[in-house]
Amino acid sequence: MPAFRSLALAAMLLPLLGTATLAETETLRVRNRSGVDLVRMFASPVTDEYWRDDLLGEYVVPSGRNADVTIRNVTECLYDLLMLFSDGAVVPDRVDVCASESYTVEP
């Protein structure tokens, strides 16, 4: 019987442990209202030292348009953003990708 109790306890705790380490995929709608085309967008967890891959790839988000970007392997919610524009401007920002469905780039 003690083995059964240990197994039952482990079975109850497993979902709690699993949710802390599961990687999620988040989609963020980027609304470009900057007046300039957005040509590159990088996002990395605030705890990372390096930027991850460009979320836009070959796609450019013209001013006044929207694009959905996918952030994979999300294990924490707060992300640093780095955006590069066609006029050469480089703009950093921060977003909670778990709580936000969209992000608006404004002048």
Side-chain angles (χ1 to χ4, degrees):
M1 194 68 143
F4 178 73
R5 281 190 186 150
S6 296
L7 184 59
L9 181 61
M12 289 188 317
L13 291 176
L14 188 60
L16 296 175
L17 296 173
T19 56
T21 59
L22 286 178
E24 298 286 329
T25 298
E26 298 290 343
T27 300
L28 190 65
R29 171 154 291 176
V30 177
R31 297 181 171 139
N32 185 3
R33 305 296 181 261
S34 68
V36 182
D37 293 349
L38 177 62
V39 296
R40 299 277 181 264
M41 183 174 190
F42 302 91
S44 293
V46 295
T47 57
D48 279 9
E49 285 185 48
Y50 304 102
W51 292 106
R52 294 189 179 178
D53 293 337
D54 178 12
L55 295 173
L56 299 179
E58 297 295 319
Y59 187 72
V60 171
V61 185
S63 183
R65 302 294 302 260
N66 304 329
D68 291 335
V69 297
T70 302
I71 303 173
R72 299 186 196 298
N73 301 318
V74 175
T75 57
E76 57 189 271
C77 293
L78 200 54
Y79 270 66
D80 285 326
L81 300 178
L82 186 67
M83 296 163 285
L84 287 74
F85 294 87
S86 60
D87 66 353
V90 177
V91 178
D93 205 353
R94 187 168 281 177
V95 66
D96 182 335
V97 298
C98 301
S100 302
E101 293 181 6
S102 66
Y103 174 83
T104 302
V105 183
E106 297 179 305

